[in-house]
Amino acid sequence: MSAIRSIAVHKHFGGCRAVDGVTLDVEEGEVCALLGPSGCGKTTMLRLLAGFERPDSGCLMVGGEIVAGGKTFVSPERRRIGMVFQDYALFPHMTVEANVAYALGRRAEGAAARVREVLELVGLGDLGSRQPHELSGGQQQRVALARALAGTPKVVLLDEPFSGLDAALRARVRQEVRAILLAAGVTALFVTHDQEEALSLADRVAVMRDGRVEQVGTPEEVYGRPASRWVAEFLGEADVLPGTVDDGWVDCELARVRAEGVGSGDAEVLVRPESVSLSLGPAAGGRTQVEGVVVEREFFGHDQLVHVELPSGRRLRSRSLSHPVWHPGDRVRVQLDGPVSVYAAASPA
Amino acid sequence: MLPLVYLAIVVVGEPSDARDAVWSREALELMLRSVGLAAAVTETAVAVAVAIAWLTVRTDLRGRRTWAVLCALPLVIPSYIGAYLMVSALGPSGLVQDALGVGSLPSIYGFAGAWLVLSAFTFPYVLLPVQSVLRGLDPQLEDAARGLGRSPRQVFVSVVLPQLVPAIAAGALLVALYVLSDFGAVSILQFDSFTRVIYTTYRSSFEREGAAALACLLVAVTLLVLWLEGRTRRRTRAYHRIAPGAQRRPAVVPLGRWRLPALALVGGVVLLALVLPVGVLGYWATKSVAADIDWGLVASAAGGSLLAAALAAAVAAAAALPVALLAARHPSRASTVLERFSFAGHALPGIVVALALVFLGTRAWPALYQTLAMLVLAYVVLFLPQAIGSIRASLLQIDPHVEEAARSLGRSPLAVLRTITAPLARSGVLAGAALVFLTAVKELPATLLLAPIGFETLATEIWRLTSASFFERGAVPSLVLLAVSAVPLALLTFRAHFDQ
Ligand SMILES: Nc1ncnc2c1ncn2[C@@H]1O[C@H](COP(=O)(O)OP(=O)(O)O)[C@@H](O)[C@H]1O
Ligand SMILES: [Mg+2]
């Protein structure tokens, strides 16, 4: 059963179609990322799910029950959804403990024990008596998470959960948060505009653009087999080579590769830098080798990105480990040794 | 709303007279005079208040917290007491002239005197909200602007000032409305503004229609002021603090060689608006020999004042919270109209509201007429906007996500209001209630007309004594009135300044 189901949901603000027909399923227990550029409607989607906005049309279900659609509208407090806001939205006049206990209601049995339990879960067991403003950003975020988890919600929604943290902290906190979510066994939908974050954290990724979901799939699927050129380029570096499809195969400057499901005619071949390998020396002949000239190199420590110019004058990037060291002007053999994506040439950019 | 209906009824009942009164040349001059006075006082109050707010919150001014409290205190001096004290000090053959032994001082009557007195006693209306916003500002924004290469002066103009605009506008609105509806000061200083002319028209001839028509004109002027304020509000969206992570204190600006001018400014304002009036009052009080004071009367009057003002403060705060909430959280046309209408109450002269309630009490609700409830109702109608303005400002400081978070944690809207919004807006609610209390304690015309028979307040007592020229005897109740209103105000400002 889907923990979250959205069917053709629309929401507009004035003339702006923030959410324009989103259909999406999130399975129980899964961590799903809603990935898209800023302004594509991700926050609006979360707010619709949480019940802070009413959809114009379409249907939203949480835990198998309709929460919005037709005449039904379940108010936010009865949806059992935990929400972690981008700015955390901690209650400034309450201690950490009181913030978390707020989720349990005043008369709840064993509230104190549950508060301790979730604070332990997020690793803040000894900070319960602090005020929110006495915590660092990362700690505030974990309090917000603990508060969202305390009432054992059906679903947790997180809006750009890591955007307020610095880069060094972000990578660590990311994995911590994933571990916490898995330990809690809760279904999580989180919003981000950072593809690395989505790919490394989620079981499944839904890519959003202009209020619509363009593709849903595992991180490997959306990265390796993007449904459109836009998705491919949004998810990572990619270069485009023109090609011609004929009978299930595509010919381009680098190679002839399989092109399933693309009709004959002009096509675009999307090549990720890690699918391009370089080797030394002039081409030894053979169809799949092309000679190029190194024009630029970006060094990142653990790897490098080398820009090469092909005989046609097109440029291609190649990502490899930091050795061997290439220099502008080096003549290299360029070889395709990874998957590529092929789209009919009219595919929108 | 009700006073407006009453005015409309009276004016419609007698259309031709009313039209004459409104379209006459005198009415036009009257309007220009009143608006001119309101504009001049508002500008002065804003300039003085913003300067003092900045000096007392952000700089190393010596004793800035004490100055902050002292500067808020003139708020407790009713305009009629202030004006009389100014006249008796600076007027012809007043105390200063006697003491200096000079022939004559510049005349304190007319526009200049009204401007001086009203500015001196109304600038705290701008000072208090501006100070509270200045204290809550995110210093990182200023650091960011400095980092973008702006000088401190540019930062103040481009970053700090825009964030103060909502508070300045709210305070300026109160000042402008105060001046338009002030009756005591303009009467004593013989400046013919709307209220004075309405009152004399009404009193001299019992000509209800003419007075009502002029009052309608005054209401129109008020609506214009409200409209102008609404436009500035639309241009300046609400600023919510958006900074996760631990909050920092703003840096203190060293005054350097500006130390003395700054002290002179703050000290001068305190001298004129506080030390001088209180000193003169003390002088009169010591002159009036303690023997001929009826202490029992003073005590019962003080009790009456406290009771009526406290009730008004509680009712107004309770009524203002939902209105402010609606205006701050769900800005729709309806909620804006509701807020505007409640402001209209403040702009109506107390005498008009009181007359309208007398009319309603005698005709429609005889059960309420001549009761304390009627007086409290008049206070609430008159002073609700003060509570709304203060509560609204503190609501805007609350991140709305905090309320949404509480909703999704399973609380109903009402529970969220009780456990999250109200506690976070508490300082604004308290400040609003305190403002209503202060204003209600000082209120004169409505109290005169609506207090039940035998119910004495300090204001009616002072009016009775001073209008019978027993000014020496009025000094003691005046001092008690000042003390009664100074205590909550001092507590409030002390708390705000020493809490952090
Ligand atoms: N309350 C609102 N009123 C008007 N426009 C809004 C509102 N909320 C969002 N929008 C608009 O809807 C679009 C999507 O916004 P949002 O969901 O916040 O995007 P994201 O979170 O993906 O950056 C934006 O163009 C934004 O300007
Ligand atoms: Mg967003």
Side-chain angles (χ1 to χ4, degrees):
Chain A
M1 187 192 67
S2 302
I4 299 174
R5 166 165 280 187
S6 160
I7 304 163
V9 169
H10 288 262
K11 175 75 192 176
H12 72 93
F13 298 105
C16 166
R17 293 189 188 176
V19 169
D20 194 14
V22 166
T23 297
L24 177 69
D25 276 290
V26 181
E27 296 302 321
E28 219 171 291
E30 130 181 298
V31 176
C32 181
L34 200 53
L35 170 67
S38 171
C40 72
K42 307 180 298 290
T43 298
T44 307
M45 193 60 213
L46 283 201
R47 294 174 57 78
L48 285 164
L49 278 168
F52 303 133
E53 307 280 357
R54 254 171 214 265
D56 301 330
S57 64
C59 176
L60 287 168
M61 297 169 74
V62 174
E65 285 168 38
I66 295 181
V67 292
K71 288 197 177 58
T72 313
F73 183 80
V74 178
S75 62
E77 65 268 26
R78 285 189 283 125
R79 292 196 181 189
R80 298 209 33 219
I81 285 180
M83 178 102 179
V84 177
F85 288 85
Q86 191 165 3
D87 53 9
Y88 312 141
L90 298 180
F91 307 133
H93 59 309
M94 297 182 184
T95 61
V96 167
E97 264 164 4
N99 262 279
V100 176
Y102 191 87
L104 301 170
R106 272 173 306 164
R107 292 176 302 277
E109 285 274 306
R114 176 68 184 155
V115 169
R116 226 173 303 122
E117 190 183 344
V118 276
L119 282 179
E120 293 292 341
L121 180 69
V122 301
L124 292 177
D126 44 353
L127 298 184
S129 52
R130 294 259 188 107
Q131 294 285 328
H133 66 88
E134 298 169 329
L135 300 178
S136 72
Q139 290 168 332
Q140 289 181 340
Q141 192 217 29
R142 278 183 285 163
V143 175
L145 188 57
R147 187 178 68 180
L149 290 171
T152 54
K154 297 179 194 165
V155 169
V156 177
L157 307 176
L158 304 96
D159 191 0
E160 306 263 2
F162 310 106
S163 62
L165 307 176
D166 56 74
L169 199 58
R170 207 176 300 169
R172 185 164 58 82
V173 171
R174 225 187 258 166
Q175 291 313 317
E176 279 174 10
V177 166
R178 179 171 166 89
I180 293 167
L181 291 172
L182 291 183
V186 69
T187 308
L189 177 62
F190 78 97
V191 152
T192 178
H193 63 266
D194 178 342
Q195 17 86 10
E196 198 181 305
E197 204 166 284
L199 296 176
S200 65
L201 199 52
D203 300 317
R204 280 198 316 147
V205 178
V207 185
M208 238 183 124
R209 177 194 186 191
D210 291 344
R212 296 164 172 278
V213 173
E214 291 254 318
Q215 187 177 6
V216 187
T218 63
E220 292 78 8
E221 277 167 358
V222 292
Y223 187 80
R225 290 199 298 284
S228 68
R229 180 174 161 188
W230 184 86
V231 172
E233 292 184 332
F234 182 67
L235 278 173
E237 290 145 336
D239 294 299
V240 182
L241 293 176
T244 333
V245 178
D246 185 23
D247 196 21
W249 286 82
V250 65
D251 267 312
C252 70
E253 195 173 352
L254 270 191
R256 178 181 170 81
V257 289
R258 289 290 298 167
E260 275 153 34
V262 184
S264 297
D266 288 344
E268 288 174 330
V269 181
L270 256 95
V271 186
R272 296 220 182 271
E274 61 272 19
S275 297
V276 176
S277 72
L278 306 178
S279 49
L280 197 61
R287 286 207 44 146
T288 59
Q289 290 182 11
V290 176
E291 194 186 271
V293 181
V294 174
V295 289
E296 198 183 326
R297 170 175 175 263
E298 294 171 63
F299 182 65
F300 296 104
H302 47 80
D303 62 1
Q304 58 180 338
L305 196 62
V306 183
H307 300 237
V308 290
E309 196 170 285
L310 299 180
S312 65
R314 288 181 190 283
R315 290 191 177 185
L316 211 57
R317 285 168 294 179
S318 161
R319 188 179 287 282
S320 59
L321 296 179
S322 23
H323 280 280
V325 176
W326 302 108
H327 299 283
D330 287 352
R331 304 188 78 78
V332 290
R333 264 183 296 167
V334 186
Q335 201 167 4
L336 197 63
D337 65 354
V340 296
S341 318
V342 183
Y343 306 98
S347 133
Chain B
M1 257 338 271
L2 287 174
L4 285 176
V5 173
Y6 170 60
L7 287 180
I9 289 172
V10 174
V11 172
V12 169
E14 227 27 78
S16 64
D17 279 13
R19 260 203 304 278
D20 289 351
V22 168
W23 292 121
S24 68
R25 211 188 136 77
E26 288 79 26
L28 190 67
E29 281 172 7
L30 185 57
M31 180 144 85
L32 288 178
R33 268 200 305 275
S34 290
V35 170
L37 180 67
V41 171
T42 307
E43 277 166 25
T44 314
V46 166
V48 170
V50 172
I52 292 181
W54 187 73
L55 287 172
T56 52
V57 172
R58 281 300 180 79
T59 69
D60 62 350
L61 185 73
R62 246 183 114 87
R64 62 195 173 109
R65 294 187 171 135
T66 314
W67 286 122
V69 174
L70 290 177
C71 283
L73 285 179
L75 205 56
V76 304
I77 301 178
S79 66
Y80 51 93
I81 296 185
Y84 194 93
L85 293 173
M86 288 282 185
V87 168
S88 74
L90 300 176
S93 61
L95 297 176
V96 170
Q97 199 176 338
D98 285 354
L100 295 179
V102 289
S104 71
L105 287 170
S107 167
I108 187 140
Y109 290 104
F111 183 88
W115 166 76
L116 185 69
V117 168
L118 287 171
S119 301
F121 298 119
T122 56
F123 80 90
Y125 282 119
V126 186
L127 180 70
L128 291 178
V130 171
Q131 275 178 334
S132 102
V133 171
L134 259 183
R135 271 193 295 272
L137 283 190
D138 183 354
Q140 294 186 45
L141 290 179
E142 287 157 62
D143 296 350
R146 289 297 297 279
L148 293 171
R150 300 294 192 279
S151 71
R153 182 191 303 257
Q154 287 170 324
V155 170
F156 185 79
V157 172
S158 64
V159 176
V160 178
L161 212 50
Q163 300 191 77
L164 296 182
V165 164
I168 293 176
L173 181 65
L174 287 179
V175 172
L177 297 183
Y178 186 104
V179 175
L180 284 176
S181 57
D182 177 69
F183 167 69
V186 290
S187 297
I188 291 169
L189 292 162
Q190 300 169 11
F191 179 73
D192 272 331
S193 74
F194 261 116
T195 47
R196 184 172 189 232
V197 173
I198 291 169
Y199 185 74
T200 44
T201 310
Y202 176 80
R203 268 291 144 94
S204 59
S205 56
F206 268 85
E207 208 190 317
R208 271 197 186 184
E209 296 74 24
L214 287 177
C216 279
L217 206 56
L218 177 52
V219 171
V221 173
T222 306
L223 291 178
L224 188 72
V225 172
L226 287 169
W227 178 74
L228 285 174
E229 196 263 351
R231 281 189 30 149
T232 64
R233 183 180 303 175
R234 206 161 316 132
R235 274 189 286 118
T236 58
R237 304 292 301 172
Y239 301 108
H240 300 295
R241 190 186 179 113
I242 35 169
Q247 294 181 5
R248 288 186 309 112
R249 290 286 162 68
V252 165
V253 178
L255 283 173
R257 65 202 166 84
W258 291 98
R259 187 178 308 269
L260 278 180
L263 266 181
L265 172 71
V266 178
V269 169
V270 169
L271 180 72
L272 182 71
L274 190 66
V275 176
L276 188 64
V278 173
V280 173
L281 193 54
Y283 170 79
W284 286 120
T286 49
K287 263 191 90 175
S288 77
V289 195
D292 68 343
I293 292 173
D294 184 348
W295 288 104
L297 201 63
V298 172
S300 82
S305 286
L306 281 176
L307 178 65
L311 281 174
V315 175
L321 187 60
V323 178
L325 203 62
L326 221 56
R329 285 291 180 269
H330 307 282
S332 67
R333 183 157 303 178
S335 70
T336 313
V337 168
L338 182 64
E339 200 200 3
R340 292 287 109 135
F341 269 124
S342 63
F343 268 94
H346 184 74
L348 296 173
I351 187 99
V352 172
V353 171
L355 278 173
L357 287 177
V358 165
F359 176 82
L360 280 169
T362 48
R363 311 266 173 97
W365 304 326
L368 272 181
Y369 188 53
Q370 282 287 338
T371 64
L372 185 57
M374 198 65 152
L375 181 59
V376 171
L377 181 65
Y379 287 158
V380 171
V381 169
L382 283 168
F383 307 130
L384 193 62
Q386 302 190 357
I388 292 176
S390 158
I391 295 174
R392 186 179 171 280
S394 71
L395 283 176
L396 286 179
Q397 304 259 311
I398 303 175
D399 174 4
H401 285 162
V402 162
E403 289 162 5
E404 291 179 347
R407 284 295 296 284
S408 74
L409 292 171
R411 299 301 173 86
S412 67
L414 217 61
V416 173
L417 179 64
R418 193 168 46 73
T419 56
I420 305 292
T421 317
L424 286 177
R426 198 186 53 176
S427 67
V429 175
L430 283 180
L435 274 176
V436 172
F437 180 90
L438 293 175
T439 335
V441 157
K442 299 187 299 189
E443 207 286 333
L444 182 63
T447 317
L448 279 174
L449 280 174
L450 289 171
I453 291 166
F455 185 82
E456 292 291 341
T457 73
L458 290 168
T460 57
E461 192 58 18
I462 294 164
W463 181 258
R464 193 175 62 79
L465 291 168
T466 54
S467 57
S469 296
F470 295 128
F471 196 71
E472 292 179 7
R473 267 197 258 167
V476 168
S478 297
L479 276 176
V480 175
L481 177 58
L482 294 192
V484 161
S485 28
V487 169
L489 184 69
L491 281 181
L492 213 67
T493 39
F494 263 109
R495 221 189 54 129
H497 285 270
F498 291 93
D499 248 11
Q500 16 173 334

